[in-house]
Amino acid sequence: MGILERWLGEAGGKKDLHLLLFIGGLYSLSIALSNTFVNVYLWKQSGQIVDIAVYNLTVVLFQPLTFVFAGRLAKKVDRIIVLRLGVIFLALFYLSVLLVGTRATDFLWLLGGLLGIGYGFYWLAYNVLTFEITEPETRDFFNGFLGILSSLGGMVGPILSGFIISRLEKFTGYSIVFGLSLLLFSVAVFLSFSLKRRPAHGRYCFLRILQERKNNRNWLLITRAHFFQGIREGTFMFIISITVFIQTDSELALGSYGLLNSAISFVAYFLASRYIKQPMRKKAILIGGILLYAGVLLIAFDITFGKLLIYGAIVATAYPILLVPYISLTYDIIGRAWKAAEMRIEYIVVRELFVHIGRIVSISGFIISVMLFDLKQLLPIYLLIVGAGHTVIYWFVRKIDIIDQD
């Protein structure tokens, strides 16, 4: 733990913080192993981009619904139990993928529902625990170090999965990869028993915190920013991996893309967590947003694998620059908001609700557009529209004045 303490500075020396980071690292590795390849797995069975979009739409529909329910549950029982439920549902998702095998496209709603429920429970609990365990002065370190762990998982996971899948016949490699993810989530459940119990009390006031946007300008602005964050993330969460696979017809190439992306992201998260301080947050968010849109401009027309690799390098650099200060700013706004200590769960739920409304709008728009227009003509225009989401974030963030909050 000595190395970890030196990296985290004032955040070091806290057992729960270390455990939360480790669980987050296991989650990231498991997702890196399998998540990208689930879309390819479904694509190889179906060959229809609409099916992939419907699966991802199901995920983002169930996730906010679960968030609202999980928030209520977290107010009645221990947050650690909610975290555990999330990891269990994620494990059930991978178990189900293994059981249905080559009939996965017949169970898109079931698989998407399980994954969405798992994400909902997990991220509600993880975000609330992050808010409780970290302090304003340690949040940039925590978010940056978690990004480093995610990048490490992203470096190891995709290339390992691509190698396994490419070396084995048909869908055997996919079964092994999904089995590894199931194992990692099982370890995460075991580790969660070591976290200190954190029971909550009081009424669940989800609607009241939703209405708080009328009273708190900073809260209004940051929730609007999260909606536009979701606008980009919705379609881009599956379209890039499918495009890389279509261009190369190789899971190993997709794994190599993930390795490059995560290797650069690892360095960028480390630098962002060390050097982006509070006074620099808004400028960093602007720079990150511009870089992300520059990446979209690169691949919108005449897509090649070479351009996709450059795109991967650009977004790997841009996301840490944007997300480290953006997440920290969001938590600081919540921490200074009305009854933050009592209503922190509700604030997290409302924030995620706006992200997922954006994702739902993005994917729904993609499905409708694909059904009405030719995909080759539509895709560049649609990517340019939804790809602006992270750039728009700065329009709202620039107006935030953290000093004025009570």
Side-chain angles (χ1 to χ4, degrees):
M1 290 297 181
I3 295 175
L4 183 59
E5 290 177 12
R6 286 197 295 274
W7 278 43
L8 289 175
E10 295 180 29
K14 296 182 179 180
K15 178 186 174 184
D16 278 4
L17 187 144
H18 295 160
L19 281 170
L20 195 61
L21 280 172
F22 197 61
I23 289 171
L26 283 174
Y27 168 89
S28 298
L29 178 57
S30 181
I31 292 297
L33 275 168
S34 299
N35 205 37
T36 298
F37 292 94
V38 171
N39 287 312
V40 175
Y41 185 65
L42 296 174
W43 170 262
K44 291 182 76 171
Q45 292 185 30
S46 167
Q48 300 295 320
I49 195 67
V50 172
D51 286 343
I52 313 303
V54 167
Y55 161 73
N56 284 276
L57 178 62
T58 307
V59 175
V60 299
L61 281 171
F62 274 87
Q63 196 168 341
L65 294 174
T66 305
F67 255 104
V68 176
F69 174 73
R72 184 177 184 84
L73 192 62
K75 271 295 185 80
K76 302 298 180 183
V77 300
D78 197 298
R79 254 97 69 203
I80 305 302
I81 294 175
V82 179
L83 180 72
R84 208 169 291 151
L85 279 172
V87 180
I88 287 170
F89 268 96
L90 290 169
L92 285 174
F93 164 77
Y94 287 108
L95 181 61
S96 299
V97 172
L98 288 170
L99 290 175
V100 300
T102 54
R103 296 178 58 216
T105 50
D106 296 331
F107 298 93
L108 293 176
W109 285 92
L110 170 65
L111 296 176
L114 284 173
L115 190 59
I117 292 170
Y119 280 158
F121 278 125
Y122 176 86
W123 280 115
L124 182 280
Y126 199 90
N127 287 335
V128 172
L129 288 169
T130 298
F131 181 74
E132 293 177 344
I133 289 172
T134 63
E135 303 293 338
E137 63 272 14
T138 63
R139 279 177 193 143
D140 286 334
F141 285 109
F142 181 91
N143 292 326
F145 197 83
L146 183 62
I148 290 170
L149 291 178
S150 299
S151 299
L152 284 172
M155 289 167 63
V156 175
I159 193 68
L160 177 60
S161 297
F163 179 79
I164 292 172
I165 292 169
S166 64
R167 288 294 182 273
L168 298 174
E169 294 181 0
K170 295 184 179 179
F171 294 104
T172 305
Y174 283 97
S175 298
I176 293 173
V177 167
F178 297 149
L180 286 173
S181 290
L182 178 61
L183 174 63
L184 289 172
F185 278 123
S186 301
V187 174
V189 172
F190 175 76
L191 285 175
S192 70
F193 284 94
S194 299
L195 286 166
K196 180 183 176 182
R197 292 180 64 85
R198 292 177 178 269
H201 306 283
R203 295 185 302 115
Y204 183 53
C205 302
F206 165 70
L207 292 177
R208 175 62 184 82
I209 300 305
L210 189 61
Q211 293 169 354
E212 180 63 15
R213 298 170 72 246
K214 297 178 181 178
N215 307 321
N216 185 331
R217 186 167 181 266
N218 285 351
W219 183 230
L220 172 67
L221 291 169
I222 204 67
T223 50
R224 287 177 176 174
H226 278 79
F227 169 79
F228 282 96
Q229 173 190 345
I231 287 289
R232 176 186 167 114
E233 290 177 352
T235 300
F236 277 78
M237 70 196 319
F238 64 89
I239 199 68
I240 296 299
S241 60
I242 293 299
T243 303
V244 171
F245 181 75
I246 291 173
Q247 286 288 323
T248 63
D249 194 28
S250 167
E251 287 90 352
L252 187 58
L254 181 57
S256 300
Y257 172 86
L259 173 62
L260 172 68
N261 180 280
S262 297
I264 296 172
S265 183
F266 173 82
V267 176
Y269 265 113
F270 175 75
L271 294 175
S273 64
R274 299 289 288 183
Y275 297 110
I276 297 178
K277 304 302 180 183
Q278 191 165 348
M280 303 165 56
R281 283 177 178 173
K282 292 182 182 180
K283 186 180 293 185
I285 290 168
L286 173 62
I287 293 170
I290 292 172
L291 283 173
L292 283 168
Y293 198 63
V296 178
L297 291 171
L298 177 67
I299 62 167
F301 300 96
D302 188 29
I303 299 177
T304 65
F305 183 56
K307 284 187 177 181
L308 285 167
L309 289 176
I310 298 172
Y311 167 84
I314 292 173
V315 299
T317 304
Y319 266 120
I321 294 172
L322 184 144
L323 289 180
V324 169
Y326 179 57
I327 294 171
S328 298
L329 177 64
T330 302
Y331 281 134
D332 284 355
I333 289 172
I334 292 173
R336 295 167 184 252
W338 177 76
K339 291 191 176 181
E342 182 182 344
M343 304 292 177
R344 56 185 173 269
I345 292 174
E346 288 89 336
Y347 280 106
I348 296 296
V349 171
V350 172
R351 183 196 74 164
E352 289 298 321
L353 181 66
F354 277 89
V355 174
H356 284 86
I357 290 173
R359 291 175 178 175
I360 290 166
V361 170
S362 178
I363 300 176
S364 298
F366 178 81
I367 292 172
I368 293 169
S369 300
V370 168
M371 294 174 67
L372 295 177
F373 304 101
D374 178 69
L375 179 61
K376 289 184 178 180
Q377 295 179 347
L378 159 79
L379 190 59
I381 299 170
Y382 197 77
L383 290 182
L384 288 172
I385 294 171
V386 299
H390 278 99
T391 312
V392 176
I393 285 175
Y394 178 75
W395 176 261
F396 301 103
V397 167
R398 70 187 179 89
K399 302 174 185 177
I400 290 173
D401 187 355
I402 203 79
I403 299 174
D404 289 342
Q405 288 188 297
D406 296 326

